[in-house]
Amino acid sequence: MSAAADYGYIFDVAQLAHIELLTPDLERSLWFFRDLLGMEEVARKDGSAYLRAYDERYLTSLKLTPSEKPGLGHAAWRARSPRALERRVHAIEATGLGHGWIDGDIGHGPAYRFTTPEGHPMEIFWEVEWYEAPGDLQSRLPNRPQKRPGRGVPVRRLDHINLFAKDVKRCGDFMMEALGFQLREYIEARAGGYRGVWLSVSPMVHEIAFMHDEAGPGGRLHHICYWYGYPHQLWDVGDLFRENRVHIELGPAKHGITQAMPLYVYEPGGNRVELFGDVGYLIFEPDWRPIRWTEEHIERAAQEGGLPWLGGSFPAEYWVYGTPAAQIGVERAATAPTE
Amino acid sequence: MSAAADYGYIFDVAQLAHIELLTPDLERSLWFFRDLLGMEEVARKDGSAYLRAYDERYLTSLKLTPSEKPGLGHAAWRARSPRALERRVHAIEATGLGHGWIDGDIGHGPAYRFTTPEGHPMEIFWEVEWYEAPGDLQSRLPNRPQKRPGRGVPVRRLDHINLFAKDVKRCGDFMMEALGFQLREYIEARAGGYRGVWLSVSPMVHEIAFMHDEAGPGGRLHHICYWYGYPHQLWDVGDLFRENRVHIELGPAKHGITQAMPLYVYEPGGNRVELFGDVGYLIFEPDWRPIRWTEEHIERAAQEGGLPWLGGSFPAEYWVYGTPAAQIGVERAATAPTE
Amino acid sequence: MSAAADYGYIFDVAQLAHIELLTPDLERSLWFFRDLLGMEEVARKDGSAYLRAYDERYLTSLKLTPSEKPGLGHAAWRARSPRALERRVHAIEATGLGHGWIDGDIGHGPAYRFTTPEGHPMEIFWEVEWYEAPGDLQSRLPNRPQKRPGRGVPVRRLDHINLFAKDVKRCGDFMMEALGFQLREYIEARAGGYRGVWLSVSPMVHEIAFMHDEAGPGGRLHHICYWYGYPHQLWDVGDLFRENRVHIELGPAKHGITQAMPLYVYEPGGNRVELFGDVGYLIFEPDWRPIRWTEEHIERAAQEGGLPWLGGSFPAEYWVYGTPAAQIGVERAATAPTE
Amino acid sequence: MSAAADYGYIFDVAQLAHIELLTPDLERSLWFFRDLLGMEEVARKDGSAYLRAYDERYLTSLKLTPSEKPGLGHAAWRARSPRALERRVHAIEATGLGHGWIDGDIGHGPAYRFTTPEGHPMEIFWEVEWYEAPGDLQSRLPNRPQKRPGRGVPVRRLDHINLFAKDVKRCGDFMMEALGFQLREYIEARAGGYRGVWLSVSPMVHEIAFMHDEAGPGGRLHHICYWYGYPHQLWDVGDLFRENRVHIELGPAKHGITQAMPLYVYEPGGNRVELFGDVGYLIFEPDWRPIRWTEEHIERAAQEGGLPWLGGSFPAEYWVYGTPAAQIGVERAATAPTE
């Protein structure tokens, strides 16, 4: 038996590398990510803006692309090695969900494009550009890639993505089988199957989750998440959001699932953005036993004062509002509240 | 013109000194305040238990008295001097709301009993017993009256009381005219008058508030509040509350009014208890201009994602649930939720 | 006996209203207060810049005045009423330390100038300009005078001042007798007298402190302090300080005296600035018993791992470095460290 | 090329599973871990006590063994699979540092014992006992293995170990070559070689570090570390430590290396224990570029106000005090300070 058979393909995907968000209001989306979340614009090309958080190693983690409707442009995974990339491309091709190679983009080299079974657009690549801070943005900390900004309440790095799906199990299985993700927590549906799954390729509880798209067609974005590392900064950025009329959906709160501390807001383009205050808990156990939540559990928790473990309750919109994955032409299922 | 004419009587009341709570379940109320909030039982007399928080100077700030129903036993104010006590007793007598003197109780000397216009029971006194920690409870900090406990998430001191009233203005005027409180913030009712008033005798925004008792007869307790001083401890104690099935009504959150960070729970006897994480803001301006909130403001805030500035929205029960001031025979207007 | 005899003059001074700092580098001092501490410049006159923190009610709390050397321009107290102002001016005149009236300055009306027995320049006034935020700086919170800035880690309000004195007792007595301050905590010197005193006119432990000027001539500034209200923001602003080469002297820490959480830095002009994370503890007891610390206590605490209750130990410079009160020609006793 | 060749053996070790500490004062060490850190005693055998933190999945992470001197009993790693265990045992045997198998202990099955080149005792195993909480210790959170305790300020899980070595490079190379650890950060010695190395098998910056044993013989324990996940709890537990005369060496602070927030104390047996408030930063990049610190960097940082990024400076004892790895007869190089 080879080493590979021990672990299978579970380490071929190293990390969530970047996200492309579609926005009908590029300037205001830029204001949100740059002035409130303290991100840096590092490039502009073909109308898209590329941003980075100050604690990220690569050039960029966010591409903002003007579009008629908000939604997910694509989510990009970095493979662990050139060989790992090859293996994953073969596995994806075998599913029939592969779309083929692109030459690359600002910040990375050749990438293989594919979708989940519900059409969420993704890519995987190996070659990446590490960030080199210009003189005035160099940090005094050797292990910090960029000086901490003095603008807004600056986020540190991209954390995860959460997608709406009609068939949660099918999407989760795809990520596990074609890409090597592991199941960490799930909500079992009363009628069988899953209402939500949380999957990771690292000790984090998830780099990706799928939740049941109750009111929509699936294939959509629920939210992307940036990380602070310090729960208190959710209050600081929340105060900025309130002063600047950014719609807060929930939080600061403490999740039951993942145990992490979130704040959910809508960026001006209409996409939901989560901010994570801490890491919740980390999973180091190689034979992890996925955590099972039932719908009864969720309902009882709601009756007992809300689904989050602490800090209020999910409003109805949380379960139905998402933004369309534009490439596959899904219509928006709900309207983002405005203040 | 004498000095008194400058300030009138605004400094005769020094502080909220203690609260008597009525509880139909003394043992479980004791468990809540002692094991979860880290308070110390310092005496037991005539069936009542007396407790203290570790950062309080006097012997006790909480008397728990068994009773058929929950509610306020009384709230007690300490005068600034013997002469100040005299003046306030004269002023109260002039209102016809005075009940006369009692000899004292555990922790304090002679006290004059009275009620607000709606019958909320109160007393005012001068002589008080300062706490002397026994050897094993002595702190290493000369300015800390008692060693910080290692039990639960220990509160530091009594902060304020909030009362339900049918006629908020009348109750507020009584506190201002007979006792020297100053108006700090208020909610103006659409129909005229006040829906809520926040009053203090110190730079704190309030030691006492009155809110409109929409569903009840007035004269009742809305909540008492203990203080942490560190907002993060609301998350810690909130976690303990969830694990131990103590009903959390709201929070951790950040108030608009007072700007303080609260967590609201129901102690097992049924009384609402607020925990304050910070001080909000302090008022040092001698010619303070009371802050006006309108019902439109409250409603708009609710539409925009909740009335607290951050951290969820007040559930319906917040506006209607209170506990009866037993001495005046008010019936309970709602049932405390249980988990 | 009149009401005045009850309280004497203890309430004639309402608050520390503003500070004038002298700086040999106005532009960099401005950068520090505006870009790192998030303060707003509201006026410029005769070469001086006037700033405010976003949670302050009056127009300005800080005047930065170019000067050859750093130090205290003056500290200004607001009286509680016109009559209180009169009384204090009479009392100060009787000490022989009064300098007479000035017409006023940006943000306030006529002020009476005086010094402490060691020449620390001060003034007291009544008429003040309340701040009215222009449209784009208006907060959505009725009780917040100005929108929370998105620049640096914004402080909320001026908190206190700490002065170096050769004769701590004499300076403290002056503040108590002429201005009505109350003694809250003190360090008793082994040789008799005081090594430090903490005095207030409110429940805060101090608006002013005097500490023994071991290496200097007295009459100097030790530090001014701005308030956050949230301890965690000390870490955020500390990170900005480190990235931007602002010298941190101590903290984030937790004081024994006052129990508050401080961070000490040197603004680029050379003056020490303290940032307070919380309020420590508040004093509501009218017959407060001043807290006594001995030099033995201080030394033992130092041996046990530092004088602050938590968070490191005071470096030697803390006890000797101060900035001269320029008007009285005191030479600087030490050189501000630079990074 | 097989998958194994991609990753080599870098994933054979899954995690730091438990630590055995030697203590000359078992009862007081137990008091420290149980009453202050809120850990649970789950077994007692042959005079040793076994404890667990409430957020740990396996039965136990700490074995306290009575001994004449403090020090490391052993550190135990869990392999990722039975096959991974086999591979690592073969690799260790090839180094000549293997000691052979033991049958197991409370909480785990057969384990292979070995030492580092300097004799730090270790073991590696696969079979482990997952914790099942008894009824009264069951959490309401499905993903929390045990109810959060209401005792002390409870730690959540074992985080890492730090060892003193005379030859840091040799020890680090052994962990990398025989066990698959990856180099994350290091301090380059002026004379060549390393003064410290931080190594991990996960996105955490380290599960193990070696630092140069300047004053001792090497082969010793510098500290073990437990994790909170919330930086603020360092202040809470630090307050308990001060009240209970537990010696605090440094913190709460923020490290430069790892960027995590630590508090260092000495448990009553004399071993240094670190408490981590957050995770610092996480490493997901598969081609991580180890962070290089120089001695010049360390010295400059010290001159600039301390080596930690924030929160004081390492006292001299930090660099010289460690506890002997008793099995190899190393004498204690310094005396633990006592309060």
Side-chain angles (χ1 to χ4, degrees), chain A residues 1-4 6-15 55-58 78-84 87 126 128 130 132 139-145 156-157 182 185 202-204 207 227 229-232 254-259 261 278-282 284-289 291-293 297 300 304 309, chain D residues 1-4 6-15 55-58 78-84 87 126 128 130 132 139-145 156-157 182 185 202-204 207 227 229-232 254-259 261 278-282 284-289 291-293 297 300 304 309:
Chain A
M1 191 172 77
S2 75
D6 268 339
Y7 311 132
Y9 37 74
I10 65 171
F11 298 113
D12 276 355
V13 172
Q15 67 189 129
D55 212 9
E56 292 174 333
R57 309 289 154 176
Y58 307 150
R78 190 172 180 218
R80 187 168 296 274
S81 68
R83 183 79 170 84
R87 273 192 304 266
W126 163 249
V128 75
W130 286 60
E132 292 293 334
S139 173
R140 298 181 71 199
L141 275 177
N143 55 12
R144 184 180 278 174
R156 288 174 65 191
R157 64 161 172 75
Q182 295 180 275
E185 303 203 21
S202 80
M204 295 203 304
E207 286 99 13
W227 186 70
Y230 308 107
H232 65 252
K254 182 180 173 65
H255 278 306
I257 293 169
T258 78
Q259 290 188 33
M261 300 179 77
D278 65 339
V279 294
Y281 70 97
L282 295 174
F284 299 101
E285 295 71 19
D287 47 350
W288 179 249
R289 303 164 180 191
I291 304 293
R292 173 177 173 263
W293 300 72
H297 194 110
R300 194 178 62 233
E304 286 169 353
W309 180 241
Chain D
M1 190 172 77
S2 75
D6 268 338
Y7 311 132
Y9 37 72
I10 65 170
F11 297 112
D12 277 355
V13 172
Q15 67 189 128
D55 212 9
E56 292 175 333
R57 308 290 154 177
Y58 307 150
R78 190 172 180 218
R80 187 168 297 274
S81 68
R83 183 79 170 85
R87 272 192 305 265
W126 162 250
V128 74
W130 286 60
E132 293 293 334
S139 173
R140 297 181 71 197
L141 276 176
N143 57 10
R144 184 180 278 175
R156 288 174 64 190
R157 65 161 170 74
Q182 295 180 276
E185 304 203 21
S202 81
M204 296 204 303
E207 286 99 13
W227 186 70
Y230 309 106
H232 64 254
K254 183 180 171 67
H255 278 306
I257 293 170
T258 77
Q259 290 187 35
M261 300 179 79
D278 65 338
V279 295
Y281 70 96
L282 294 174
F284 299 101
E285 295 72 18
D287 47 349
W288 179 247
R289 303 164 180 191
I291 304 293
R292 172 178 173 264
W293 301 72
H297 194 110
R300 195 178 63 234
E304 286 169 354
W309 180 242

Side-chain angles (χ1 to χ4, degrees), chain A residues 97-222:
Chain A
L97 292 167
H99 287 203
W101 291 88
I102 62 165
D103 284 345
D105 197 348
I106 300 281
H108 68 90
Y112 186 80
R113 307 215 73 176
F114 61 99
T115 67
T116 68
E118 294 201 8
H120 305 95
M122 296 191 172
E123 61 185 40
I124 182 167
F125 66 88
W126 163 249
E127 284 175 30
V128 75
E129 181 179 347
W130 286 60
Y131 178 69
E132 292 293 334
D136 61 327
L137 290 186
Q138 280 173 15
S139 173
R140 298 181 71 199
L141 275 177
N143 55 12
R144 184 180 278 174
Q146 179 194 321
K147 192 177 178 176
R148 180 195 176 114
R151 192 176 60 246
V153 181
V155 292
R156 288 174 65 191
R157 64 161 172 75
L158 181 59
D159 193 87
H160 68 260
I161 187 168
N162 184 313
L163 301 170
F164 257 159
K166 290 312 277 186
D167 191 334
V168 163
K169 185 176 186 315
R170 194 173 162 220
C171 287
D173 284 346
F174 170 77
M175 297 305 290
M176 289 193 274
E177 288 158 20
L179 290 149
F181 280 75
Q182 295 180 275
L183 182 62
R184 303 313 203 167
E185 303 203 21
Y186 61 96
I187 305 172
E188 200 172 77
R190 194 175 274 110
Y194 296 95
R195 188 161 151 193
V197 291
W198 284 257
L199 306 157
S200 75
V201 287
S202 80
M204 295 203 304
V205 177
H206 67 320
E207 286 99 13
I208 190 168
F210 294 95
M211 298 200 311
H212 181 60
D213 193 353
E214 296 182 25
R220 303 191 299 152
L221 173 66
H222 191 270

Side-chain angles (χ1 to χ4, degrees), chain D residues 19-34 36-37 39 51 62-73 221-226 241 244-249 263-275 317 321-324 332 335-339:
Chain D
I19 300 276
E20 180 189 19
L21 272 191
L22 307 181
T23 172
D25 192 342
L26 181 67
E27 283 316 308
R28 295 201 63 233
S29 290
L30 262 172
W31 163 79
F32 174 84
F33 288 104
R34 187 188 52 212
L36 302 187
L37 301 195
M39 295 178 72
L51 295 100
L62 184 65
K63 179 182 180 180
L64 292 177
T65 296
S67 174
E68 197 186 333
K69 295 175 179 179
L72 176 66
L221 173 66
H222 191 271
H223 67 262
I224 66 166
C225 178
Y226 273 87
F241 289 152
N244 291 284
R245 297 180 185 271
V246 172
H247 176 68
I248 295 177
E249 188 176 73
L263 178 72
Y264 289 99
V265 296
Y266 291 4
E267 58 88 19
N271 297 294
R272 186 188 282 104
V273 175
E274 185 181 17
L275 301 167
E317 74 191 40
Y321 179 74
T323 40
R332 196 167 168 184
T335 301
T338 54
E339 293 213 350

